[in-house]
Each structure stands twice: as structure tokens, then as C-alpha cells.
Amino acid sequence: MTQRPFHHGNLRAVLLDEAIEVVRESGVDGLSLRDLARRAGVSHGAPRSHFVDRQALLDALAGAGFERLTTAIRRALDGGGGRTERLHRVARAYVDFAVDDAALMELMFQAKVTTKPEAVHEAAGTLFAVLDGALGPAESEASGDESRDHFKMLFAATMQGIAALVASGRVERPLGDRLVGTAMDTMLDSDLGRRVVTAR
């Protein structure tokens, strides 16, 4: 294995990148600090200067996952088009991430909100803030509170459900893409969607 060069101070980022690769290859159960040290070409004790134990590594990995998903959502929003077109791109980006990094996605959402470390909670909050921004400005006080939260949770549940079907092989990816489009059209055309999504 070719060791990745790194400078003092970015070992944490290198270890997280390696951890994501391990999760892709063999799932969360395949993660260990000792193996990450070997993959990064450092001493066995070096990772503990950044992660006191395996749970700390998992927490950091979950936070990194939320950051990567948020970046993908922001890229999807950068293109042109109207609100509906941008939200369709956001949905596809969300499902693509959840399919390609299924084990990481499961890790990100498996912990209860009340027990997540603050950094993970903040990273998750940033993701949902970006999703909220994608809906457009609230047109009324009512549409800015419970209804918008309901829509965002419905969006996440629906897209993760489609992604789970694709990742498990129950649904082929082209059909999954069509399901994403149908689901978004249905959500946006619903009473809830019309209430919370700004048309522009």
C-alpha cells in the first residue's frame, strides 16, 4: 500500500479519509485505530492524539459524513433553474450519497439526537439548515416552523428509503432515479409542499 504524505497537523484529516475508505470496503465493523495507523503509515499510538478511542473516531466520522453530504447538497443548489429543478437535483445528490456511502449514512443517523456529540449535532444541523434554505424563504410565520420541519423530515425519510432499496439491490439504480423524481413531484405537489416551498 502506498502511504499518503501528510504534514504535521493534517493527520486527523488523513485518518478520516482512510476511515471512510474502510467503511466503504468493509463497513463500520472493519474500523480500528490500529489499522488506520497502519494505512496512514504512522505509529500505532499516533491516532490517539486525535481520537481517544474508537467511539471518538466513529463520532468524528459521522460529523465528516454530514459535512460531505452538505457539500454535495450545496453543489446541487449551485446550478441554475427554478426552485423545483434545484430541489430535484438536491434529492438526486442526497440519494447518490446515501447509495454510494450507505454504511457511512447509517452511522450518521444511527445515534439518537439527544446523545450525539455536539460537533455531530452541529454538522447535522448545518445539513438541515441548507435543506431549509433550499425551500426558499418562509412566506408566512406558520410555514416557517412545524410545516417546514415536517417537509424536511419527510424528504430525508423518503430519499433514504429509496437509497436503501437501491443499495440493497432490491431496486436497480435507473429505477431508483425515477423514483426520486416521482417522489419529489409528489411531495412538491402536495398540500404540505405547496405550503412550504417558495415557487421562485
Side-chain angles (χ1 to χ4, degrees), residues 132 134-139 142-152 187-188 190-199:
D132 187 83
L135 302 179
E139 294 187 334
S143 70
D145 297 325
E146 186 175 345
S147 293
R148 288 172 75 91
D149 289 340
H150 189 178
F151 187 92
K152 286 181 289 182
M187 291 172 62
L188 291 170
S190 68
D191 177 66
L192 176 65
R194 289 191 297 269
R195 203 161 62 238
V196 303
V197 179
T198 303

Side-chain angles (χ1 to χ4, degrees), residues 44-117:
H44 292 158
R48 293 191 180 277
S49 63
H50 299 282
F51 313 110
V52 295
D53 55 23
R54 186 174 181 274
Q55 185 57 53
L57 169 64
L58 294 178
D59 292 339
L61 193 56
F66 278 114
E67 290 169 2
R68 288 184 176 219
L69 178 54
T70 300
T71 297
I73 298 302
R74 283 178 168 145
R75 286 198 194 106
L77 288 168
D78 281 343
R83 184 84 57 199
T84 296
E85 183 179 346
R86 294 198 298 275
L87 284 171
H88 272 267
R89 289 201 304 267
V90 165
R92 288 193 297 273
Y94 194 104
V95 171
D96 284 345
F97 181 93
V99 171
D100 295 336
D101 282 295
L104 178 58
M105 193 74 158
E106 182 179 357
L107 173 64
M108 289 158 55
F109 284 93
Q110 72 179 6
K112 293 181 179 179
V113 173
T114 54
T115 60
K116 285 181 182 177

Side-chain angles (χ1 to χ4, degrees), residues 84 87-92 94-95 135 150-163 165-166 171 174-194 197:
T84 296
L87 284 171
H88 272 267
R89 289 201 304 267
V90 165
R92 288 193 297 273
Y94 194 104
V95 171
L135 302 179
H150 189 178
F151 187 92
K152 286 181 289 182
M153 294 308 297
L154 180 62
F155 170 88
T158 301
M159 298 310 152
Q160 286 178 220
I162 294 172
L165 289 173
V166 175
V171 168
L175 176 56
D177 290 340
R178 294 198 296 275
L179 289 174
V180 169
T182 300
M184 280 307 303
D185 285 339
T186 301
M187 291 172 62
L188 291 170
D189 198 39
S190 68
D191 177 66
L192 176 65
R194 289 191 297 269
V197 179

